[in-house]
């Protein structure tokens, strides 16, 4: 049965939700205060991962905590005052650093990523933007044998979930990526992971398909969500609209929308930064790569060579702190020759993270017709189409294509 549905949030998760619902025959309105794909979804390494299965809160994190507390890592920085204010959330997050949860989460994430990758490929072909797609894999680099040894838990998680990968030695790395300085002892290439050369253009292509088929995009700031009998009333900066069903997919701002209806969702956020540099006069990279010990990613993009920082734990709306990305750019220049900076200033985004590092994808516990689709941490691009498929199947009363139980909202006392 065709329904009138609102999707609140224009990041890649919201865009995919709107597109999939529209293709299933529903009348869909996507609402966001900005052009879709220009907030959190804009700044990432462009990886369409099938292999990012080990959550951050795993047993290895507990062993690394003493070193991380020094707050000098490029891979993770934090504001001590913010962490003190959020200690209950931090302790709950750390409580999931168990082997059993890591295994549970890895299985769930792998299923959602594989589902998403297949649908990304289909939509990319349908949208006629195959020039954005890379099949060269996703590589993690290790400067020392000790660093590679610390990757053992992730290798185990990938093996247990069926991820295909190849380990390369120093000379093989030089042949694979001659544009990198020969400083790496080991590399792990995720063989079936893909990438895109512009996440923003990919989002634009999906939006174009959505609009061409009758979808509506409303650029407005949502300010209220009120249940009606039946349906919901969505108030935004330009007026009020009525819908039968509502999907909340507003990334780190989803917690605010949920609070309007009495939900206390244990959502935090990982802030991250990126900067584009002009390519240098050396062979360019064939794929995105993550320097594990350096704590940064480097990826060839249409805008230039994109350097992304690690995680920053800070208030969602605090002013940017460019210390971390400046250090990442300096480190990246040591391993790959690049010219000047393209961007006037670094970009910053906020990635929504729940205390167990799994997204919420499914019905809100206390409101019929309200759906949650958020909390994808830094893997929104890699899990958006699969999450959309789950939401659509539930709204249509069908059987989800994968086990959706790990993503239930009621796994928390919300």
């Amino acid at each position: 049965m065709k329904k009138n549905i609102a999707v609140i949030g224009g990041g890649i998760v919201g865009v995919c939700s709107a597109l999939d619902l529209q293709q299933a025959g529903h009348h869909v309105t996507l609402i966001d205060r900005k052009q879709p794909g220009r907030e959190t979804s804009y700044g990432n390494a462009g990886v369409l991962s099938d292999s990012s299965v080990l959550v951050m809160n795993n047993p290895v994190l507990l062993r690394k905590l003493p070193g991380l507390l020094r707050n000098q890592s490029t891979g993770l920085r934090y504001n001590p005052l913010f962490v003190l204010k959020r200690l209950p959330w931090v302790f709950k997050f750390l409580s999931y650093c168990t082997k059993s949860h890591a295994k549970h989460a890895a299985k769930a994430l792998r299923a959602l990523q594989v589902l998403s990758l297949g649908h990304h490929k289909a939509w990319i072909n349908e949208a006629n933007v195959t020039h954005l797609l890379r099949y060269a894999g996703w590589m993690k680099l290790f400067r020392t044998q000790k660093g590679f040894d610390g990757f053992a838990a992730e290798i185990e998680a990938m093996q247990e979930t069926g991820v295909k990968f190849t380990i390369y030695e120093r000379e093989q790395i030089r042949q694979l990526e001659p544009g990198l300085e020969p400083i790496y002892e080991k590399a792990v290439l995720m063989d079936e992971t893909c990438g895109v050369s512009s996440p923003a253009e990919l989002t634009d292509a999906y939006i174009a398909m959505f609009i061409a088929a009758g979808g509506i995009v409303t650029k407005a700031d949502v300010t209220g969500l009120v249940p009606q009998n039946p349906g919901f009333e969505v108030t935004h900066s330009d007026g009020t609209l009525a819908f039968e069903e509502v999907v909340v997919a507003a990334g780190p701002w989803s917690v605010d929308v949920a609070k309007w209806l009495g939900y206390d969702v244990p959502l935090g956020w990982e802030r991250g930064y990126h900067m584009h540099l002009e390519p240098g006069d050396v062979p360019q990279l064939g794929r995105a790569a993550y320097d594990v010990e350096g704590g940064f990613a480097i990826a060839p993009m249409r805008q230039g060579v994109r350097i992304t920082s690690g995680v920053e734990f800070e208030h969602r709306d605090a002013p940017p702190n460019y210390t971390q990305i400046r250090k990442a750019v300096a480190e990246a220049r040591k391993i790959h020759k690049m010219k000047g900076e393209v961007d006037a200033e670094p970009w910053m985004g906020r990635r929504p993270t729940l205390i167990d590092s799994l997204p919420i994808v499914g019905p809100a516990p206390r409101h019929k017709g309200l759906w949650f689709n958020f909390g994808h941490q830094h893997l929104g691009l890699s899990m958006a189409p699969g999450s959309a498929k789950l939401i659509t199947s539930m709204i249509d009363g069908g059987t989800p294509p994968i086990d959706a139980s790990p993503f239930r909202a009621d796994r928390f006392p919300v």
Side-chain angles (χ1 to χ4, degrees):
M1 181 184 299
K2 184 175 181 178
K3 296 179 179 179
N4 185 24
I5 302 173
V7 176
I8 299 174
I12 190 63
V13 173
V15 168
C16 287
S17 296
L19 177 60
D20 197 61
L21 285 164
Q22 193 275 328
Q23 290 187 338
H26 299 291
H27 181 74
V28 185
T29 300
L30 178 70
I31 309 172
D32 195 285
R33 63 186 178 184
K34 292 187 176 182
Q35 179 183 348
R38 295 312 190 268
E39 278 282 6
T40 303
S41 300
Y42 180 80
N44 54 66
V47 176
L48 307 181
S49 182
D50 73 320
S51 58
S52 301
V53 296
L54 187 65
V55 291
M56 180 185 293
N57 46 344
N58 66 78
V60 177
L61 177 62
L62 296 179
R63 297 198 294 270
K64 290 182 177 179
L65 269 183
L68 293 173
L69 289 174
R70 293 197 294 268
N71 209 17
Q72 297 299 312
S73 169
T74 308
L76 189 149
R77 289 291 184 96
Y78 65 93
N79 178 340
L81 291 178
F82 171 71
V83 171
L84 284 173
K85 291 178 181 177
R86 295 277 290 178
L87 270 182
W89 187 93
V90 172
F91 285 144
K92 288 177 182 177
F93 181 83
L94 293 176
S95 74
Y96 283 92
C97 290
T98 65
K99 192 166 185 178
S100 61
H101 176 66
K103 286 179 177 292
H104 162 74
K107 182 180 178 182
L109 291 176
R110 167 72 171 159
L112 192 53
Q113 288 170 32
V114 171
L115 178 65
S116 295
L117 182 56
H119 287 289
H120 263 310
K121 291 177 181 178
W123 279 344
I124 287 170
N125 185 65
E126 185 180 348
N128 294 316
V129 288
T130 53
H131 61 281
L132 297 177
L133 184 62
R134 276 196 302 264
Y135 285 92
W138 156 240
M139 187 163 62
K140 297 199 175 182
L141 299 162
F142 303 89
R143 303 182 181 208
T144 65
Q145 182 64 43
K146 181 180 179 182
F148 176 71
D149 292 342
F151 194 63
E154 190 154 347
I155 286 180
E156 181 182 352
M158 290 193 297
Q159 289 173 328
E160 290 180 349
T161 54
V163 175
K164 293 183 179 179
F165 62 92
T166 304
I167 298 173
Y168 289 92
E169 306 294 333
R170 178 184 283 267
E171 179 59 25
Q172 294 171 311
I173 300 168
R174 190 189 69 79
Q175 294 176 16
L176 189 65
E177 291 289 2
L180 291 176
E181 293 295 322
I183 68 168
Y184 296 105
E185 289 290 333
K186 298 272 190 178
V188 179
L189 180 67
M190 319 310 167
D191 298 327
E192 296 183 344
T193 290
C194 295
V196 290
S197 57
S198 176
E201 289 183 55
L202 179 68
T203 307
D204 290 345
Y206 288 174
I207 282 290
M209 283 202 299
F210 172 69
I211 293 174
I216 298 172
V217 176
T218 299
K219 188 177 178 181
D221 190 10
V222 175
T223 57
L225 179 62
V226 179
Q228 300 297 308
N229 190 18
F232 296 87
E233 189 175 82
V234 177
T235 303
H236 57 75
S237 50
D238 294 329
T240 299
L241 297 169
F243 298 95
E244 295 173 75
E245 316 245 340
V246 172
V247 178
V248 179
W253 295 277
S254 299
V255 64
D256 299 336
V257 179
K259 278 183 179 178
W260 296 338
L261 295 177
Y263 294 97
D264 184 14
V265 181
L267 187 76
W269 38 86
E270 308 169 26
R271 301 205 323 178
Y273 300 80
H274 81 225
M275 170 66 80
H276 292 107
L277 282 73
E278 295 181 52
D281 298 322
V282 295
Q284 294 306 295
L285 300 180
R287 57 191 51 79
Y290 178 56
D291 184 321
V292 175
E293 289 151 290
F296 65 88
I298 180 168
M301 293 284 180
R302 287 165 68 85
Q303 300 101 314
V305 184
R306 180 177 290 184
I307 312 302
T308 71
S309 71
V311 172
E312 179 192 37
F313 283 121
E314 171 61 285
H315 191 279
R316 182 188 65 192
D317 302 323
N321 180 345
Y322 297 138
T323 302
Q324 195 176 20
I325 186 62
R326 294 295 184 193
K327 184 176 179 181
V329 169
E331 287 297 311
R333 286 188 177 279
K334 295 176 184 177
I335 62 101
H336 183 63
K337 288 185 172 58
M338 294 170 285
K339 297 179 181 178
E341 295 178 353
V342 175
D343 305 318
E345 63 181 20
W347 173 92
M348 183 193 77
R350 304 95 165 161
R351 297 179 174 90
T353 301
L354 288 147
I355 54 174
D356 62 353
S357 293
L358 294 174
I360 288 177
V361 186
R366 298 186 297 276
H367 292 84
K368 181 177 174 56
L370 179 64
W371 306 88
F372 290 160
N373 191 6
F374 56 83
H376 295 73
Q377 25 120 347
H378 58 282
L379 299 173
L381 181 62
S382 296
M383 300 195 294
S387 299
K389 293 291 177 184
L390 295 185
I391 290 291
T392 299
S393 66
M394 294 176 194
I395 288 177
D396 286 346
T399 301
I402 62 172
D403 180 13
S405 62
F407 313 117
R408 297 189 324 270
D410 61 6
R411 68 185 190 267
F412 307 120
V414 297

